[in-house]
């Protein structure tokens, strides 16, 4: 797999500054096995990195500064990037100083993991900027504290997630596909989507082991029973437009069309870019579309 680039994609800006690309994900599979005593839900999920990215610049600085371009986001203490920076600085026993500039392209509250990705890529970038050079495995516990799907964004590619989503098997298999994202003009809150249905955690469900647990599992578009999202019907019940988008995409020759995570984006998989582009053309304002593709990453040998 020598043709795969290491994660995350990096760009040197000179004078100690650099930019990292912070990717979005889709969930090819999202099984909700039940609600746990701690309030979170036990998941069985397949995370897939896609080529839609934010871009995060890291600059040496004498103070802490976080700036956003392209979206009106709170850059204060509630932002996951600030929380990631403080967590890493505290853990390393150093001052939290850097200037970070985020160019946002990933839709917010779209089920694409943009905020989680930014937090984990901030951990990677600050670890580099501050000379800590921690490997992803050492940043993993910090990422898991920041959010359930943050840990995936330390590795990218294709991964099987369990637990809250933070227990990962990095898969060497690749899923090559064009991806069309349809973004509606509203977001869905993950915690609300999980609260709209009672998921009970039974012993039977806990013991289920799906056949894609094997590290070499390669989901292909022909394994259609892999693709499912237990949050989809719940979210589509509340937002009829999303069901209409899904039907339009399936009518437009999508191999798969599904809600991404807890929504609000619907993604469609195409083996052929021309078809994806053609399908994209039927959506107008206030819907946004992105045609991108899945991204595979090198994995350490077993
Ligand atoms: O972990 P994170 O803060 O990203 O999760 C946001 C919310 O989504 C949680 O507060 C919880 O309500 C819900 N969630 C869940 N089970 C998961 C992941 C998230 O119930 N495995």
């Amino acid at each position: 797999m020598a043709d795969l680039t290491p994660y995350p994609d990096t760009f040197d800006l000179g004078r100690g500054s650099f930019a990292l690309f912070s990717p979005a994900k889709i969930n090819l599979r999202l099984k909700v096995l039940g609600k746990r005593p701690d309030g979170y839900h036990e998941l069985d999920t397949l995370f897939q990195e896609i080529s839609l990215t934010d871009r995060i610049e890291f600059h040496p600085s004498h103070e802490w500064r976080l700036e956003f371009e392209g979206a009106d986001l709170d850059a204060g203490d509630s932002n996951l990037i600030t929380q990631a920076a403080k967590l890493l600085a505290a853990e390393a026993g150093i001052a939290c100083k850097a200037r970070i500039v985020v160019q946002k392209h990933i839709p917010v509250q779209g089920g694409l993991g943009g905020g989680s990705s930014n937090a984990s890529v901030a951990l990677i970038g600050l670890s580099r900027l501050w000379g800590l050079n921690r490997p992803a495995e050492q940043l993993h516990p910090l990422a898991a504290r920041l959010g359930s799907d943050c840990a995936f964004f330390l590795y990218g590619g294709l991964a099987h997630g369990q637990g809250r989503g933070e227990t990962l098997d990095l898969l060497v298999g690749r899923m090559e596909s064009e991806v069309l994202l349809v973004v509606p003009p509203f977001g869905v809150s993950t915690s609300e989507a999980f609260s709209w249905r009672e998921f009970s955690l039974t012993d039977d469900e806990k013991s289920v082991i799906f056949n894609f647990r094997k590290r070499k599992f390669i989901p292909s578009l022909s394994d259609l029973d892999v693709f499912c999202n237990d949050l989809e019907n719940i979210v589509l019940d509340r937002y009829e437009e999303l069901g209409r988008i899904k039907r339009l995409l399936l009518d437009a020759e999508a191999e798969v069309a599904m809600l991404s995570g807890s929504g609000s984006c619907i993604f469609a998989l195409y083996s052929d870019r021309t078809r994806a582009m053609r399908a994209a053309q039927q959506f107008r304002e206030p819907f946004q579309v992105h045609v991108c593709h899945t991204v595979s990453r090198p994995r350490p040998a077993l």
Side-chain angles (χ1 to χ4, degrees), residues 1 4 28 46-49 152 156-160 169-177 212-220 223 294-300 302:
M1 296 219 178
L4 303 182
L28 301 176
L46 274 177
F47 294 110
Q48 172 65 65
E49 179 186 347
F152 166 71
L158 175 63
H160 177 212
D169 273 325
L170 305 182
L171 301 175
V172 290
R174 302 194 206 176
M175 221 285 291
E176 311 264 337
S177 181
F212 59 76
R213 273 195 73 182
K214 296 181 209 90
R215 198 165 182 260
K216 283 193 186 298
F217 169 78
I218 305 173
S220 76
D223 296 318
T294 56
V295 177
S296 304
R297 297 291 176 178
R299 298 302 191 206
L302 279 176

Side-chain angles (χ1 to χ4, degrees), residues 39-41 43 147-148 164 190-191 194:
Y40 283 91
H41 291 78
L43 302 182
S148 300
R164 284 189 295 128
T190 304
S191 57
F194 273 105

Side-chain angles (χ1 to χ4, degrees), residues 74-83:
D74 181 2
D77 286 350
S78 70
N79 191 284
L80 267 192
I81 295 177
T82 311
Q83 291 176 25

Side-chain angles (χ1 to χ4, degrees), residues 110 180-184 242 245 249 264-268 279-280 283 287-290:
L180 167 59
L181 298 173
V182 182
V183 188
L242 298 182
I245 294 171
L249 290 167
S264 60
C265 287
I266 301 280
F267 73 83
F283 296 95
F287 295 94
Q288 262 183 59
V289 287
H290 297 275

